[in-house]
Amino acid sequence: MDQYVIKGGIPLQGEVTVSGAKNSALGILAATVLTDEQVCIKNLPDISDIDILLNAIEEIGASVTRKDRNTVLICGANIKQTTIESENVRKIRGSYYLVGSLLGRFKSAGVLMPGGCNIGSRPIDQHLKGFRALGADAEITHGMVKADAKELVGAHIYFDCTSVGATINLMLASCLAKGQTILENSAKEPHVVDVANFLNSMGANIKGAGTDIIRITGVEKLHKSTYSIIPDQIEAGTFMLAAAATKGDVVVKNVIPKHLEAITAKLVEIGASVVEMDDAVRVTATDRLKSTSVRTYPYPGFPTDLQAPMTTLLSVSSETSTLTESIFDGRFKYVDELAKMSAKIKVENNVAVITGVDRLTGSKVVASDLRAGAALVIAGLMAEGFTTVEQIEYVERGYENLEGKLRKLGAEIIKTDSKDEKTVKKFKLKVG
Ligand code: EPZ
């Protein structure tokens, strides 16, 4: 198992370039099996979730050629099976997008139940409801999500709750169906729009992505395309919060400022400075930040994926802040780890009450999921002394070369095997 070792108290300074969006890439890679022609996907983030999904796509018979770590050619001409049973797909959430795309093209799909971060109950009833509305028999059986149909006919689907996954999955399943599908109460996240734009670049007819009503008119066939994934809104937000948390001065490059408005607004509200440029934001903070109240919401609200990093930032604000998690029911596990670092946070139901302390103190802590891990890294950057973050394979699921990007910003951080005490000792002596 790998770990990060961090010497805290150093303000982050300089420029960092954000990678492609993980939560776009997973939907877009799954969408490539909707055509038998070759597609080229650029600006892929080099993270383990992508490797797992590409392996699954290759396993069913598609050809997958990694031109480099951020560019892949995929051709689904020779796909010979529509069932994926490799244990690997259990590790990621995005594997369930292969149900939508294989059902959409082959009218048949079977994928092991998706995994992903342990952040509370994550049912897929809205996905199944949508597949059934299109005419498929869809069920969870023997640990697999299975969907089969004689034909898929467009339908009017009203989601009971706003779901990124269900919205993307139903765009995938309906773009080759007969007639028009209307998705109501759809998710509006930037990555939903990115998947729709990619599908349209292959010849799909999708209108309204980014609003809560999406209209998909089925087409006969999808064709080749070359497409570049949008920058990762959540990675960008993570670096913005880390800059403010360390009283630094960081230019976060390769971003779409509009996607970051909820984070920018909160940072300015608590006393940080955010300067927006065409494709970058500059975040600086000098004095102790103020307290505030935050509630997570579907886009364009404050993203649930930045809830943990934001709570960490507020843990040293003046007075008391609250953070309400309105999307997942188990996304505060990291708070016990922050308590080891002298944070004073009380969680009742889905509300964290954060009493600002003067400083965090370094400790050994354990990542429980992707964004919790990122929050603990930020805590380590802020804390007095050394922090070790264990189980960082969670973090590497969603952040490309995090320690390298942080070192470029002046952070004293190394990645080592958790048994490699010699390297840790050398690091601590060196940066003392
Ligand atoms: C996606 O998960 C992201 N993952 C998550 O990011 C993100 O936190 C989440 O959207 C919300 O933005 C990927 O894109 C791979 P949802 P997803 O369906 O699609 C309920 C990260 O850190 N729901 O929008 O699983 C669900 O329980 C990850 O990058 C149903 O009840 O999220 C939740 O309470 C973590 N039934 C809410 O809706 C369903 O059929 C939102 O879930 C589907 C969802």
Side-chain angles (χ1 to χ4, degrees), residues 146-168:
K146 288 183 74 60
D148 295 281
K150 287 191 182 52
E151 68 170 356
L152 294 172
V153 178
H156 192 152
I157 300 163
Y158 195 100
F159 291 121
D160 302 342
C161 64
T162 302
S163 161
V164 166
T167 302
I168 290 176

Side-chain angles (χ1 to χ4, degrees), residues 102 159 270 427:
L102 292 170
F159 291 121
I270 62 175
F427 171 67

Side-chain angles (χ1 to χ4, degrees), residues 264-421:
T264 297
K266 274 299 164 189
L267 281 173
V268 169
E269 185 187 315
I270 62 175
S273 150
V274 181
V275 175
E276 288 186 356
M277 294 161 258
D278 287 347
D279 60 355
V281 290
R282 180 174 182 181
V283 179
T284 50
T286 47
D287 309 325
R288 183 175 190 178
L289 296 171
K290 297 192 283 270
S291 57
T292 184
S293 288
V294 183
R295 175 185 280 270
T296 64
Y297 269 119
Y299 189 80
F302 192 91
T304 176
D305 292 345
L306 289 173
Q307 179 254 93
M310 187 70 186
T311 301
T312 303
L313 169 62
L314 293 171
S315 69
V316 294
S317 283
S318 58
E319 290 149 24
T320 298
S321 301
T322 60
L323 201 140
T324 304
E325 172 54 63
S326 62
I327 295 181
F328 290 105
D329 56 13
R331 202 162 197 177
F332 283 116
K333 293 186 183 65
Y334 64 92
V335 165
D336 291 342
E337 299 303 303
L338 287 179
K340 296 175 187 172
M341 302 178 72
S342 312
K344 280 195 176 55
I345 303 168
K346 191 158 174 40
V347 177
E348 277 170 20
N349 301 321
N350 65 340
V351 181
V353 178
I354 308 154
T355 306
V357 295
D358 289 342
R359 75 184 64 74
L360 295 183
T361 55
S363 171
K364 185 168 275 197
V365 290
V366 183
S368 52
D369 65 69
L370 165 56
R371 307 303 174 183
L376 294 174
V377 170
I378 292 175
L381 295 168
M382 296 160 69
E384 190 181 78
F386 286 94
T387 296
T388 300
V389 182
E390 297 182 326
Q391 294 189 174
I392 58 162
E393 57 279 5
Y394 284 113
V395 181
E396 293 182 321
R397 284 190 48 207
Y399 290 93
E400 179 177 334
N401 186 24
L402 181 61
E403 77 277 5
K405 291 182 179 180
L406 286 171
R407 265 202 300 276
K408 201 164 162 281
L409 293 172
E412 288 293 0
I413 177 172
I414 56 166
K415 179 170 90 169
T416 72
D417 180 287
S418 53
K419 297 190 188 63
D420 186 354
E421 287 168 19

Side-chain angles (χ1 to χ4, degrees), residues 35 40 62 131 167 175 252 335 383 424:
T35 177
C40 174
F131 296 149
T167 302
C175 57
V252 184
V335 165
V424 173

Side-chain angles (χ1 to χ4, degrees), residues 22-23 26 93-94 96-97 117 119 121-127 161-166 189 191 304-305 327-328 331 370-371:
K22 166 177 86 80
N23 293 345
L26 294 168
R93 188 98 195 134
Y96 62 11
Y97 291 140
C117 290
I119 51 179
S121 77
R122 302 180 78 177
I124 62 166
D125 57 303
Q126 299 303 301
H127 302 241
C161 64
T162 302
S163 161
V164 166
E189 272 67 8
H191 28 289
T304 176
D305 292 345
I327 295 181
F328 290 105
R331 202 162 197 177
L370 165 56
R371 307 303 174 183

Side-chain angles (χ1 to χ4, degrees), residues 17-90:
T17 299
V18 166
S19 300
K22 166 177 86 80
N23 293 345
S24 290
L26 294 168
I28 285 172
L29 290 178
T32 62
V33 306
L34 279 162
T35 177
D36 58 3
E37 297 183 17
Q38 178 169 283
V39 295
C40 174
I41 307 297
K42 297 179 173 178
N43 202 33
L44 264 181
D46 182 12
I47 54 178
S48 56
D49 270 21
I50 297 303
D51 299 336
I52 290 172
L53 191 58
L54 286 175
N55 290 341
I57 291 170
E58 200 163 30
E59 179 194 313
I60 59 175
S63 74
V64 173
T65 313
R66 301 287 295 249
K67 302 293 282 177
D68 57 45
R69 294 307 298 168
N70 304 110
T71 309
V72 68
L73 298 177
I74 297 174
C75 180
N78 301 318
I79 287 174
K80 51 187 180 306
Q81 65 184 71
T82 60
T83 303
I84 301 174
E85 290 165 320
S86 74
E87 282 300 311
N88 253 346
V89 295
R90 284 181 193 279

Side-chain angles (χ1 to χ4, degrees), residues 49-284:
D49 270 21
I50 297 303
D51 299 336
I52 290 172
L53 191 58
L54 286 175
N55 290 341
I57 291 170
E58 200 163 30
E59 179 194 313
I60 59 175
S63 74
V64 173
T65 313
R66 301 287 295 249
K67 302 293 282 177
D68 57 45
R69 294 307 298 168
N70 304 110
T71 309
V72 68
L73 298 177
I74 297 174
C75 180
N78 301 318
I79 287 174
K80 51 187 180 306
Q81 65 184 71
T82 60
T83 303
I84 301 174
E85 290 165 320
S86 74
E87 282 300 311
N88 253 346
V89 295
R90 284 181 193 279
K91 293 181 188 158
I92 65 171
R93 188 98 195 134
S95 52
Y96 62 11
Y97 291 140
L98 286 170
V99 179
S101 53
L102 292 170
L103 174 68
R105 179 169 164 211
F106 298 103
K107 312 291 179 288
S108 172
V111 180
L112 284 173
M113 270 297 276
C117 290
N118 178 11
I119 51 179
S121 77
R122 302 180 78 177
I124 62 166
D125 57 303
Q126 299 303 301
H127 302 241
L128 300 176
K129 166 182 170 173
F131 296 149
R132 288 170 187 145
L134 296 176
D137 293 326
E139 56 180 345
I140 299 171
T141 174
H142 300 293
M144 292 196 87
V145 187
K146 288 183 74 60
D148 295 281
K150 287 191 182 52
E151 68 170 356
L152 294 172
V153 178
H156 192 152
I157 300 163
Y158 195 100
F159 291 121
D160 302 342
C161 64
T162 302
S163 161
V164 166
T167 302
I168 290 176
N169 232 344
L170 267 299
M171 288 197 298
L172 297 172
S174 62
C175 57
L176 295 171
K178 285 185 176 36
Q180 186 179 65
T181 294
I182 298 174
L183 304 180
E184 291 218 48
N185 195 17
S186 300
K188 299 182 272 196
E189 272 67 8
H191 28 289
V192 170
V193 177
D194 208 22
V195 174
N197 289 342
F198 171 61
L199 287 167
N200 284 340
S201 79
M202 291 202 291
N205 180 344
I206 301 175
K207 293 186 172 45
T211 74
D212 53 10
I213 300 182
I214 301 177
R215 287 176 172 74
I216 303 108
T217 304
V219 295
E220 279 301 306
K221 190 177 178 313
L222 296 182
H223 53 67
K224 64 178 183 292
S225 168
T226 295
Y227 192 83
S228 187
I229 289 169
I230 58 169
D232 194 313
Q233 166 208 29
I234 303 303
E235 184 191 9
T238 305
F239 279 107
M240 292 170 74
L241 295 172
T246 58
K247 303 272 185 308
D249 178 354
V250 174
V251 177
V252 184
K253 297 172 70 177
N254 186 34
V255 301
I256 299 171
K258 174 129 189 72
H259 293 166
L260 305 170
E261 284 176 346
I263 301 106
T264 297
K266 274 299 164 189
L267 281 173
V268 169
E269 185 187 315
I270 62 175
S273 150
V274 181
V275 175
E276 288 186 356
M277 294 161 258
D278 287 347
D279 60 355
V281 290
R282 180 174 182 181
V283 179
T284 50

